Amino acid sequence: MLLERLEASRLELLGRLSYTAGDLAQRARRRLTSQQKTQLMVLTPDFTARPVISFQHVWKRYPTGTEALRDVNLVVPEGDFVFLVGPSGAGKSTLVRLLIREEKPTKGKIFVEGVELGRMKRRQLPFYRRKVGLVFQDFKLLPNLTIYENVAFALRVHGQPDAFIRTRVAEALDTVGLSGKELTYPANLSGGEQQRVAIARALVHAPSMIIADEPTGNLDPATAWEIMQLFMRINARGATVVMATHNREIVDLLRRRVVAIDAGQIARDDRSGRYHDDSSKPQIRAQ
Amino acid sequence: MTILRNLRFALNSAWQSFWRNLAVSLAAVVSITLILILAGVNLLVGHAFSQVLDGFREKVSEMSINVADDTPLTSVYAFQQQLQGDPRVATVRFVTKEEALAEFVRDPNNAVLSQQIQGNPLDAKLEVRVRSLSDVAAVDSMARQWPGVDPTDPTNYQGEFVTRMLQLSQWLGFAGIGLMTILVIVSIVIVMNTIRTAVYHRRKEIEVMKLVGATEWFVRGPFVLEGIMTGVIAAAIALSLLVIAYPPVVSRFSADITFIPLTYDPTFISSLARDLLVGGALLGALGSYIGVRRFVRL
Ligand SMILES: Nc1ncnc2c1ncn2[C@@H]1O[C@H](COP(=O)(O)OP(=O)(O)OP(=O)(O)O)[C@@H](O)[C@H]1O
Ligand SMILES: [Mg+2]
């Protein structure tokens, strides 16, 4: 009992400390030349930027008894681009649901920007979600609203004034290349265009973090590639991106950070990885 | 400002939802209207009854103590003084035998009887007005113990009748409260189910709202407003029907049953309007609040 308490406070302190340390490191980093920065990134990638997301010994067991995540430890620094890969049922969506606090971990702690999600009050949850942009495989657009209103929806929910909404929606639609489609309805758009609308909605409130669960799952390869480039551009502007995906070609092409989950555990975490681990166990490759 | 924008959003949503599920919305309005009519009739009957009861109270709280013919006047005055000093008593008036007879003869109802009267069979009396109906019995028993009272016919107080009336009004009060409770529960359940339908039609919107960071009240707002709209529309219809029907029913009633002094009371309309409209709004708000509770939770 006492040990558990001690362990709990140790973890929490760690979460807070690493955030503060990251903050200091970030400030120090601002004084470096871009060449020094690149060197630093290569040398110590995880400790130079602020850890925006930090999972500490996170376990998730659903009421059905399924152990979806086992002892997951994961630190995502600010501005990172992370692919979550792994076979169906590995626990990728579960990780995403924990991250937006649709679910709570059974054990362990999740920190986002230094705040422990488990400690967050229900009252504060909406304001946390406003810092995040979400994109899903099934787009989740509202069929009875125009494209403009779909993108504006997030800002309306936040109670923003009309003038502000107009400029922001125009910018977001411009970013995803859908200016001119404002008055169209989702049913009249292709899958790729619908996903662009969903991305515009996820962007429109300028979130610091984009979380996507198989955003290209319903799209053909060419369209998937376009959508992925969109995410890369958003990431280049500074947003942290966490994306669960099954898209092997794109993951292998982009060579970004890959976190592989298998049976609820982190099996691999490569700085610039591939979809499959090709070094140690080539026999798992399912091609 | 944000609050106003959120309110505008909620009103828009509520209005659209009301028309989108028009059949369900109208069914709810009709049911709640019927319930509110019942509630209104209950209020009106309650009011009429209390009006009638007030009339009886007025009479009952006025009591006459009959004085025996051989009681000396000084003793009557002393007792009158004692009554006047009693905090339960409002006024005391002494009526002599002659005055009593004069009053009796003056009453047109007694025209035939007063022709046949020989001498003066009436007692002198003390007319006492008691402040509270519940004290009448005590004042009556005090009067009966006074030695100067007429032993054959001490007072005109009818204890049996008064207790009956009090009991009846109490029972009617309970029945009214019981009926109201049932009506309230039924209408809340109706609104709850109507709102569930609206929630079902907008489940996708609710899901997206929560994901993009809507507060619970933002999600709840449109439904609560839709509930209030349903309640207020129903209350307005019920109220109009009751206001139209109230005067003819009263005049019909008082023509048929003359011994109950029922009168049309226009001042009651405003309190009825307030009760129905506020009640309808509250029922609608409460029903929808309960109806969406489960779906709103983040
Ligand atoms: N709400 C739930 N209730 C019970 N079990 C669940 C629930 N959601 C997921 N699971 C189970 O948890 C495990 C992980 O599921 P999850 O959806 O996270 O996998 P995934 O990696 O996203 O798979 P996919 O690639 O198919 O989307 C699975 O065994 C799944 O059946
Ligand atoms: Mg999934």
Side-chain angles (χ1 to χ4, degrees):
Chain A
M1 187 58 205
L2 183 67
L3 274 177
E4 273 172 32
R5 292 262 298 272
L6 269 175
E7 172 68 2
S9 30
R10 187 184 71 86
L11 284 177
E12 177 159 354
L13 208 62
L14 217 69
R16 283 173 204 266
L17 266 181
S18 64
Y19 185 74
T20 319
D23 213 10
L24 287 173
Q26 171 115 8
R27 266 184 240 160
R29 223 156 57 108
R30 283 203 201 108
R31 300 206 208 99
L32 302 176
T33 64
S34 63
Q35 203 191 346
Q36 281 173 314
K37 267 188 205 169
T38 324
Q39 281 173 350
L40 207 61
M41 280 287 269
V42 174
L43 288 173
T44 53
D46 279 357
F47 303 107
T48 52
R50 292 196 294 182
V52 213
I53 301 166
S54 153
F55 278 61
Q56 294 176 359
H57 301 290
V58 171
W59 295 68
K60 176 64 187 178
R61 178 206 287 272
Y62 284 108
T64 53
T66 313
E67 197 86 64
L69 289 179
R70 303 152 194 262
D71 197 24
V72 167
N73 290 286
L74 179 67
V75 175
V76 179
E78 192 172 41
D80 213 0
F81 193 118
V82 184
F83 283 123
L84 296 175
V85 303
S88 202
K92 303 182 294 295
S93 297
T94 302
L95 200 148
V96 166
R97 278 200 289 273
L98 288 173
L99 201 47
I100 60 175
R101 234 206 70 170
E102 247 187 82
E103 297 280 353
K104 281 185 179 179
T106 338
K107 256 194 279 176
K109 290 182 176 176
I110 302 170
F111 290 88
V112 176
E113 296 190 346
V115 177
E116 200 214 315
L117 294 192
R119 285 251 185 129
M120 198 156 40
K121 302 234 163 36
R122 237 170 1 120
R123 201 158 33 76
Q124 301 170 307
L125 188 52
F127 303 96
Y128 166 62
R129 297 240 172 107
R130 291 177 194 187
K131 290 191 203 166
V132 183
L134 294 170
V135 182
F136 297 93
Q137 180 172 4
D138 59 353
F139 320 138
K140 294 197 196 297
L141 298 178
L142 300 174
N144 54 327
L145 297 185
T146 61
I147 300 313
Y148 179 88
E149 281 305 327
N150 262 291
V151 178
F153 193 73
L155 297 176
R156 295 219 186 283
V157 164
H158 304 171
Q160 300 286 7
D162 286 343
F164 178 81
I165 293 180
R166 265 194 299 280
T167 50
R168 279 303 187 79
V169 173
E171 280 170 21
L173 284 176
D174 186 49
T175 304
V176 301
L178 281 180
S179 301
K181 297 271 189 190
E182 283 86 353
L183 300 179
T184 319
Y185 284 86
N188 300 328
L189 295 183
S190 71
E193 286 171 324
Q194 289 189 39
Q195 192 59 299
R196 284 167 188 274
V197 177
I199 293 172
R201 184 181 62 196
L203 285 180
V204 74
H205 55 292
S208 55
M209 193 167 34
I210 301 274
I211 298 169
D213 195 354
E214 295 189 40
T216 59
N218 282 349
L219 307 175
D220 65 76
T223 316
W225 177 240
E226 283 168 20
I227 293 293
M228 201 57 83
Q229 281 184 316
L230 206 47
F231 278 107
M232 300 297 292
R233 228 182 309 147
I234 296 161
N235 175 241
R237 285 191 208 161
T240 312
V241 178
V242 176
M243 180 188 298
T245 186
H246 282 298
N247 198 320
R248 189 179 60 80
E249 288 83 3
I250 288 175
V251 173
D252 286 349
L253 207 60
L254 291 176
R255 303 303 299 258
R256 304 300 290 252
R257 181 174 175 190
V258 173
V259 173
I261 302 179
D262 196 0
Q265 281 177 309
I266 294 194
R268 181 164 54 92
D269 186 349
D270 291 339
R271 221 25 237 170
S272 55
R274 290 171 170 278
Y275 190 81
H276 288 296
D277 183 1
D278 46 4
S279 58
S280 56
K281 290 179 260 172
Q283 68 273 19
I284 316 178
R285 282 183 162 188
Q287 287 187 6
Chain B
M1 277 311 278
T2 307
I3 286 184
L4 284 182
R5 279 193 293 272
N6 290 350
L7 197 65
R8 187 187 61 181
F9 183 97
L11 272 172
N12 266 331
S13 292
W15 186 248
Q16 276 171 22
S17 178
F18 187 87
W19 289 100
R20 178 145 37 129
N21 311 314
L22 193 60
V24 179
S25 309
L26 284 185
V29 166
V30 170
S31 321
I32 305 290
T33 303
L34 291 177
I35 286 174
L36 287 177
I37 288 176
L38 274 180
V41 167
N42 189 7
L43 286 176
L44 281 170
V45 168
H47 178 67
F49 188 76
S50 73
Q51 257 181 308
V52 171
L53 202 66
D54 280 349
F56 281 125
R57 268 176 216 275
E58 199 80 347
K59 281 187 195 153
V60 165
S61 64
E62 221 167 276
M63 179 177 76
S64 27
I65 302 164
N66 297 327
V67 181
D69 283 354
D70 55 1
T71 308
L73 219 52
T74 49
S75 160
V76 177
Y77 286 144
F79 190 54
Q80 187 180 5
Q81 287 296 320
Q82 184 194 340
L83 285 171
Q84 248 149 10
D86 195 306
R88 295 169 297 193
V89 174
T91 57
V92 186
R93 189 169 71 98
F94 179 51
V95 181
T96 61
K97 271 179 85 78
E98 292 69 32
E99 281 165 348
L101 181 64
E103 262 177 36
F104 183 82
V105 173
R106 220 182 297 128
D107 189 337
N109 285 335
N110 302 332
V112 185
L113 211 60
S114 51
Q115 299 282 301
Q116 299 159 357
I117 283 181
Q118 309 266 316
N120 187 354
L122 294 175
D123 278 333
K125 56 190 178 181
L126 285 166
E127 286 196 335
V128 182
R129 178 185 280 278
V130 181
R131 281 183 212 281
S132 162
L133 197 55
S134 51
D135 289 333
V136 179
V139 175
D140 173 69
S141 64
M142 188 177 85
R144 279 165 197 267
Q145 279 158 21
W146 177 50
V149 80
D150 181 354
T152 52
D153 179 18
T155 71
N156 70 346
Y157 175 68
Q158 289 165 297
E160 191 73 353
F161 175 74
V162 172
T163 38
R164 282 270 170 83
M165 278 304 282
L166 283 175
Q167 258 171 6
L168 183 63
S169 78
Q170 216 170 31
W171 281 114
L172 279 175
F174 285 145
I177 290 169
L179 181 63
M180 279 300 195
T181 311
I182 293 169
L183 294 181
V184 163
I185 291 171
V186 170
S187 50
I188 285 179
V189 168
I190 291 174
V191 175
M192 244 170 71
N193 284 305
T194 315
I195 293 302
R196 289 263 165 90
T197 313
V199 167
Y200 180 79
H201 280 280
R202 298 181 44 203
R203 61 196 181 286
K204 203 170 170 187
E205 195 180 336
I206 294 176
E207 186 199 354
V208 175
M209 269 186 188
K210 288 182 185 172
L211 287 175
V212 299
T215 58
E216 290 187 0
W217 266 108
F218 192 90
V219 181
R220 185 158 34 217
F223 298 107
V224 171
L225 279 181
E226 193 182 338
I228 292 178
M229 247 167 71
T230 308
V232 169
I233 293 174
I237 299 173
L239 183 66
S240 329
L241 294 178
L242 285 173
V243 167
I244 293 168
Y246 180 37
V249 168
V250 168
S251 61
R252 191 57 203 282
F253 187 88
S254 42
D256 288 355
I257 308 170
T258 40
F259 68 91
I260 296 176
L262 189 63
T263 51
Y264 173 65
D265 179 6
T267 58
F268 186 64
I269 297 285
S270 67
S271 100
L272 183 71
R274 186 200 58 211
D275 289 354
L276 284 184
L277 289 170
V278 172
L282 281 180
L283 289 179
L286 200 63
S288 49
Y289 184 90
I290 299 171
V292 292
R293 205 174 32 178
R294 193 149 51 87
F295 306 93
V296 161
R297 256 186 104 89
L298 287 171

